[in-house]
Amino acid sequence: GAGVSQTPSNKVTEKGKYVELRCDPISGHTALYWYRQSLGQGPEFLIYFQGTGAADDSGLPNDRFFAVRPEGSVSTLKIQRTERGDSAVYLCASRPGQNTGELFFGEGSRLTVL
Amino acid sequence: GESVGLHLPTLSVQEGDNSIINCAYSNSASDYFIWYKQESGKGPQFIIDIRSNMDKRQGQRVTVLLNKTVKHLSLQIAATQPGDSAVYFCAENSGTYKYIFGTGTRLKVLA
């Protein structure tokens, strides 16, 4: 079956622009996570959804970052007024349900802010 | 493309030897731990997990040990193979399904 799909795989933008990153989780997975990974670092938690609602958004760095999952499946991470420090790989993962902690990751969206 | 983990601690082992990768965690309330493997240009991939009511769990060629007293986790890989070369992360869950990742260790398998 299909894994977690993230688009675009690469995005280059200019400082100050708006960016959207999309994640298609594995079908039937109820939980969806966003992480950010900078070079040489571990994935940094941003937010996770249980169904349509954000169960924990404590990792979003500031109010320029926002994520939605309106129908409990696809999610979009939105970054306003991008800054050079936002450059990173944004990873999405999904989890089947409450009985397992295994996260299934996509290959990430590499964001470069010039 | 770029490799993940260019500045990470590195463990080099000879092919066929056993590897031990260590991880210290900080939250004594964490009750569930996972090891992930990340190859260059890919997302992390689940290897093995362990709950806090256990101190050891074995999988295929891998063993995870948990020492709650000193908040330490290790991943042992038996008979390390070239395909094991990657960056390895431990992740902890404090009960809220928010998984926090460590900084990672790069494993290099020497032929």
Side-chain angles (χ1 to χ4, degrees), chain B residues 3-26:
Chain B
S3 295
V4 172
L6 289 178
H7 307 291
L8 292 172
T10 298
L11 174 66
S12 297
V13 298
Q14 290 289 334
E15 182 178 355
D17 286 353
N18 296 336
S19 302
I20 300 176
I21 300 171
N22 296 303
C23 176
Y25 65 93
S26 56

PDB file of all heavy atoms in Angstrom, chain B residues 3-26:
ATOM      1  N   SER B   3      23.200  14.960   3.100  1.00  0.00           N
ATOM      2  CA  SER B   3      23.015  13.885   4.058  1.00  0.00           C
ATOM      3  C   SER B   3      22.507  14.466   5.363  1.00  0.00           C
ATOM      4  O   SER B   3      22.932  15.527   5.787  1.00  0.00           O
ATOM      5  CB  SER B   3      24.326  13.159   4.311  1.00  0.00           C
ATOM      6  OG  SER B   3      24.765  12.513   3.167  1.00  0.00           O
ATOM      7  N   VAL B   4      21.638  13.726   6.008  1.00  0.00           N
ATOM      8  CA  VAL B   4      21.242  14.079   7.367  1.00  0.00           C
ATOM      9  C   VAL B   4      22.390  13.720   8.290  1.00  0.00           C
ATOM     10  O   VAL B   4      23.030  12.712   8.125  1.00  0.00           O
ATOM     11  CB  VAL B   4      19.993  13.275   7.767  1.00  0.00           C
ATOM     12  CG1 VAL B   4      19.688  13.471   9.234  1.00  0.00           C
ATOM     13  CG2 VAL B   4      18.811  13.690   6.901  1.00  0.00           C
ATOM     14  N   GLY B   5      22.666  14.554   9.234  1.00  0.00           N
ATOM     15  CA  GLY B   5      23.581  14.136  10.284  1.00  0.00           C
ATOM     16  C   GLY B   5      25.041  14.364   9.996  1.00  0.00           C
ATOM     17  O   GLY B   5      25.877  13.585  10.434  1.00  0.00           O
ATOM     18  N   LEU B   6      25.401  15.418   9.262  1.00  0.00           N
ATOM     19  CA  LEU B   6      26.811  15.637   8.963  1.00  0.00           C
ATOM     20  C   LEU B   6      27.602  15.940  10.213  1.00  0.00           C
ATOM     21  O   LEU B   6      28.798  15.711  10.268  1.00  0.00           O
ATOM     22  CB  LEU B   6      26.957  16.789   7.971  1.00  0.00           C
ATOM     23  CG  LEU B   6      26.495  16.503   6.549  1.00  0.00           C
ATOM     24  CD1 LEU B   6      26.653  17.742   5.693  1.00  0.00           C
ATOM     25  CD2 LEU B   6      27.264  15.359   5.934  1.00  0.00           C
ATOM     26  N   HIS B   7      26.974  16.512  11.260  1.00  0.00           N
ATOM     27  CA  HIS B   7      27.714  16.906  12.446  1.00  0.00           C
ATOM     28  C   HIS B   7      27.351  16.052  13.641  1.00  0.00           C
ATOM     29  O   HIS B   7      27.617  16.430  14.773  1.00  0.00           O
ATOM     30  CB  HIS B   7      27.412  18.386  12.738  1.00  0.00           C
ATOM     31  CG  HIS B   7      27.653  19.259  11.548  1.00  0.00           C
ATOM     32  ND1 HIS B   7      28.905  19.495  11.058  1.00  0.00           N
ATOM     33  CD2 HIS B   7      26.800  19.904  10.736  1.00  0.00           C
ATOM     34  CE1 HIS B   7      28.797  20.269   9.976  1.00  0.00           C
ATOM     35  NE2 HIS B   7      27.558  20.531   9.766  1.00  0.00           N
ATOM     36  N   LEU B   8      26.772  14.908  13.416  1.00  0.00           N
ATOM     37  CA  LEU B   8      26.338  14.057  14.499  1.00  0.00           C
ATOM     38  C   LEU B   8      27.494  13.229  15.031  1.00  0.00           C
ATOM     39  O   LEU B   8      28.466  12.948  14.318  1.00  0.00           O
ATOM     40  CB  LEU B   8      25.244  13.119  14.002  1.00  0.00           C
ATOM     41  CG  LEU B   8      23.916  13.777  13.638  1.00  0.00           C
ATOM     42  CD1 LEU B   8      23.017  12.762  12.982  1.00  0.00           C
ATOM     43  CD2 LEU B   8      23.245  14.368  14.851  1.00  0.00           C
ATOM     44  N   PRO B   9      27.377  12.766  16.286  1.00  0.00           N
ATOM     45  CA  PRO B   9      28.343  11.779  16.781  1.00  0.00           C
ATOM     46  C   PRO B   9      28.328  10.572  15.856  1.00  0.00           C
ATOM     47  O   PRO B   9      27.266  10.158  15.376  1.00  0.00           O
ATOM     48  CB  PRO B   9      27.784  11.426  18.170  1.00  0.00           C
ATOM     49  CG  PRO B   9      26.890  12.532  18.538  1.00  0.00           C
ATOM     50  CD  PRO B   9      26.345  13.092  17.281  1.00  0.00           C
ATOM     51  N   THR B  10      29.510  10.016  15.635  1.00  0.00           N
ATOM     52  CA  THR B  10      29.630   8.915  14.687  1.00  0.00           C
ATOM     53  C   THR B  10      30.212   7.690  15.363  1.00  0.00           C
ATOM     54  O   THR B  10      31.173   7.788  16.130  1.00  0.00           O
ATOM     55  CB  THR B  10      30.524   9.325  13.501  1.00  0.00           C
ATOM     56  OG1 THR B  10      29.900  10.431  12.836  1.00  0.00           O
ATOM     57  CG2 THR B  10      30.672   8.177  12.516  1.00  0.00           C
ATOM     58  N   LEU B  11      29.618   6.557  15.057  1.00  0.00           N
ATOM     59  CA  LEU B  11      30.112   5.263  15.517  1.00  0.00           C
ATOM     60  C   LEU B  11      30.533   4.477  14.289  1.00  0.00           C
ATOM     61  O   LEU B  11      29.727   4.258  13.381  1.00  0.00           O
ATOM     62  CB  LEU B  11      29.002   4.511  16.266  1.00  0.00           C
ATOM     63  CG  LEU B  11      29.322   3.077  16.690  1.00  0.00           C
ATOM     64  CD1 LEU B  11      30.422   3.071  17.739  1.00  0.00           C
ATOM     65  CD2 LEU B  11      28.071   2.376  17.211  1.00  0.00           C
ATOM     66  N   SER B  12      31.792   4.077  14.246  1.00  0.00           N
ATOM     67  CA  SER B  12      32.288   3.275  13.126  1.00  0.00           C
ATOM     68  C   SER B  12      32.535   1.852  13.606  1.00  0.00           C
ATOM     69  O   SER B  12      33.223   1.647  14.610  1.00  0.00           O
ATOM     70  CB  SER B  12      33.584   3.871  12.584  1.00  0.00           C
ATOM     71  OG  SER B  12      33.360   5.171  12.067  1.00  0.00           O
ATOM     72  N   VAL B  13      31.982   0.884  12.894  1.00  0.00           N
ATOM     73  CA  VAL B  13      32.165  -0.515  13.265  1.00  0.00           C
ATOM     74  C   VAL B  13      32.510  -1.333  12.031  1.00  0.00           C
ATOM     75  O   VAL B  13      32.131  -0.983  10.905  1.00  0.00           O
ATOM     76  CB  VAL B  13      30.895  -1.107  13.934  1.00  0.00           C
ATOM     77  CG1 VAL B  13      30.576  -0.370  15.213  1.00  0.00           C
ATOM     78  CG2 VAL B  13      29.719  -1.071  12.980  1.00  0.00           C
ATOM     79  N   GLN B  14      33.216  -2.399  12.247  1.00  0.00           N
ATOM     80  CA  GLN B  14      33.551  -3.309  11.170  1.00  0.00           C
ATOM     81  C   GLN B  14      32.342  -4.172  10.831  1.00  0.00           C
ATOM     82  O   GLN B  14      31.577  -4.583  11.724  1.00  0.00           O
ATOM     83  CB  GLN B  14      34.706  -4.221  11.580  1.00  0.00           C
ATOM     84  CG  GLN B  14      36.040  -3.522  11.711  1.00  0.00           C
ATOM     85  CD  GLN B  14      36.607  -3.108  10.361  1.00  0.00           C
ATOM     86  OE1 GLN B  14      36.304  -3.696   9.319  1.00  0.00           O
ATOM     87  NE2 GLN B  14      37.442  -2.076  10.373  1.00  0.00           N
ATOM     88  N   GLU B  15      32.185  -4.427   9.564  1.00  0.00           N
ATOM     89  CA  GLU B  15      31.117  -5.317   9.126  1.00  0.00           C
ATOM     90  C   GLU B  15      31.221  -6.656   9.857  1.00  0.00           C
ATOM     91  O   GLU B  15      32.307  -7.222   9.978  1.00  0.00           O
ATOM     92  CB  GLU B  15      31.221  -5.542   7.615  1.00  0.00           C
ATOM     93  CG  GLU B  15      30.134  -6.425   7.038  1.00  0.00           C
ATOM     94  CD  GLU B  15      30.257  -6.588   5.527  1.00  0.00           C
ATOM     95  OE1 GLU B  15      31.140  -5.942   4.910  1.00  0.00           O
ATOM     96  OE2 GLU B  15      29.481  -7.376   4.962  1.00  0.00           O
ATOM     97  N   GLY B  16      30.106  -7.097  10.377  1.00  0.00           N
ATOM     98  CA  GLY B  16      30.079  -8.368  11.097  1.00  0.00           C
ATOM     99  C   GLY B  16      30.178  -8.220  12.600  1.00  0.00           C
ATOM    100  O   GLY B  16      29.792  -9.130  13.349  1.00  0.00           O
ATOM    101  N   ASP B  17      30.695  -7.062  13.053  1.00  0.00           N
ATOM    102  CA  ASP B  17      30.769  -6.817  14.496  1.00  0.00           C
ATOM    103  C   ASP B  17      29.408  -6.379  15.013  1.00  0.00           C
ATOM    104  O   ASP B  17      28.502  -6.025  14.252  1.00  0.00           O
ATOM    105  CB  ASP B  17      31.796  -5.736  14.793  1.00  0.00           C
ATOM    106  CG  ASP B  17      33.219  -6.237  14.635  1.00  0.00           C
ATOM    107  OD1 ASP B  17      33.400  -7.459  14.422  1.00  0.00           O
ATOM    108  OD2 ASP B  17      34.146  -5.407  14.708  1.00  0.00           O
ATOM    109  N   ASN B  18      29.285  -6.355  16.336  1.00  0.00           N
ATOM    110  CA  ASN B  18      28.064  -5.837  16.957  1.00  0.00           C
ATOM    111  C   ASN B  18      28.201  -4.335  17.190  1.00  0.00           C
ATOM    112  O   ASN B  18      29.298  -3.831  17.459  1.00  0.00           O
ATOM    113  CB  ASN B  18      27.813  -6.539  18.297  1.00  0.00           C
ATOM    114  CG  ASN B  18      27.542  -8.028  18.106  1.00  0.00           C
ATOM    115  OD1 ASN B  18      27.107  -8.468  17.044  1.00  0.00           O
ATOM    116  ND2 ASN B  18      27.818  -8.814  19.137  1.00  0.00           N
ATOM    117  N   SER B  19      27.084  -3.624  17.077  1.00  0.00           N
ATOM    118  CA  SER B  19      27.065  -2.179  17.305  1.00  0.00           C
ATOM    119  C   SER B  19      26.208  -1.877  18.529  1.00  0.00           C
ATOM    120  O   SER B  19      25.181  -2.533  18.749  1.00  0.00           O
ATOM    121  CB  SER B  19      26.444  -1.455  16.107  1.00  0.00           C
ATOM    122  OG  SER B  19      27.145  -1.725  14.922  1.00  0.00           O
ATOM    123  N   ILE B  20      26.644  -0.888  19.289  1.00  0.00           N
ATOM    124  CA  ILE B  20      25.833  -0.419  20.414  1.00  0.00           C
ATOM    125  C   ILE B  20      25.702   1.086  20.303  1.00  0.00           C
ATOM    126  O   ILE B  20      26.701   1.813  20.317  1.00  0.00           O
ATOM    127  CB  ILE B  20      26.459  -0.788  21.769  1.00  0.00           C
ATOM    128  CG1 ILE B  20      26.590  -2.303  21.898  1.00  0.00           C
ATOM    129  CG2 ILE B  20      25.592  -0.238  22.911  1.00  0.00           C
ATOM    130  CD1 ILE B  20      27.278  -2.746  23.166  1.00  0.00           C
ATOM    131  N   ILE B  21      24.475   1.540  20.190  1.00  0.00           N
ATOM    132  CA  ILE B  21      24.187   2.967  20.086  1.00  0.00           C
ATOM    133  C   ILE B  21      23.441   3.382  21.346  1.00  0.00           C
ATOM    134  O   ILE B  21      22.482   2.721  21.751  1.00  0.00           O
ATOM    135  CB  ILE B  21      23.340   3.260  18.835  1.00  0.00           C
ATOM    136  CG1 ILE B  21      24.099   2.823  17.577  1.00  0.00           C
ATOM    137  CG2 ILE B  21      22.988   4.742  18.751  1.00  0.00           C
ATOM    138  CD1 ILE B  21      23.276   2.856  16.308  1.00  0.00           C
ATOM    139  N   ASN B  22      23.895   4.459  21.946  1.00  0.00           N
ATOM    140  CA  ASN B  22      23.344   4.878  23.227  1.00  0.00           C
ATOM    141  C   ASN B  22      22.506   6.146  23.123  1.00  0.00           C
ATOM    142  O   ASN B  22      22.707   6.961  22.217  1.00  0.00           O
ATOM    143  CB  ASN B  22      24.482   5.112  24.215  1.00  0.00           C
ATOM    144  CG  ASN B  22      25.238   3.847  24.515  1.00  0.00           C
ATOM    145  OD1 ASN B  22      24.664   2.860  24.951  1.00  0.00           O
ATOM    146  ND2 ASN B  22      26.539   3.861  24.246  1.00  0.00           N
ATOM    147  N   CYS B  23      21.627   6.282  24.082  1.00  0.00           N
ATOM    148  CA  CYS B  23      20.746   7.449  24.118  1.00  0.00           C
ATOM    149  C   CYS B  23      20.402   7.747  25.565  1.00  0.00           C
ATOM    150  O   CYS B  23      20.026   6.830  26.315  1.00  0.00           O
ATOM    151  CB  CYS B  23      19.487   7.157  23.304  1.00  0.00           C
ATOM    152  SG  CYS B  23      18.238   8.448  23.339  1.00  0.00           S
ATOM    153  N   ALA B  24      20.547   9.000  25.951  1.00  0.00           N
ATOM    154  CA  ALA B  24      20.114   9.443  27.272  1.00  0.00           C
ATOM    155  C   ALA B  24      18.831  10.242  27.108  1.00  0.00           C
ATOM    156  O   ALA B  24      18.741  11.078  26.209  1.00  0.00           O
ATOM    157  CB  ALA B  24      21.188  10.299  27.915  1.00  0.00           C
ATOM    158  N   TYR B  25      17.857   9.978  27.955  1.00  0.00           N
ATOM    159  CA  TYR B  25      16.627  10.761  27.884  1.00  0.00           C
ATOM    160  C   TYR B  25      16.478  11.554  29.171  1.00  0.00           C
ATOM    161  O   TYR B  25      17.117  11.265  30.179  1.00  0.00           O
ATOM    162  CB  TYR B  25      15.413   9.871  27.602  1.00  0.00           C
ATOM    163  CG  TYR B  25      15.069   8.868  28.677  1.00  0.00           C
ATOM    164  CD1 TYR B  25      14.149   9.163  29.672  1.00  0.00           C
ATOM    165  CD2 TYR B  25      15.646   7.600  28.662  1.00  0.00           C
ATOM    166  CE1 TYR B  25      13.816   8.238  30.648  1.00  0.00           C
ATOM    167  CE2 TYR B  25      15.325   6.665  29.623  1.00  0.00           C
ATOM    168  CZ  TYR B  25      14.411   6.980  30.617  1.00  0.00           C
ATOM    169  OH  TYR B  25      14.094   6.059  31.580  1.00  0.00           O
ATOM    170  N   SER B  26      15.638  12.570  29.106  1.00  0.00           N
ATOM    171  CA  SER B  26      15.618  13.518  30.223  1.00  0.00           C
ATOM    172  C   SER B  26      14.350  13.453  31.071  1.00  0.00           C
ATOM    173  O   SER B  26      14.367  13.822  32.244  1.00  0.00           O
ATOM    174  CB  SER B  26      15.784  14.940  29.687  1.00  0.00           C
ATOM    175  OG  SER B  26      14.780  15.213  28.722  1.00  0.00           O
TER     176      SER B  26
END
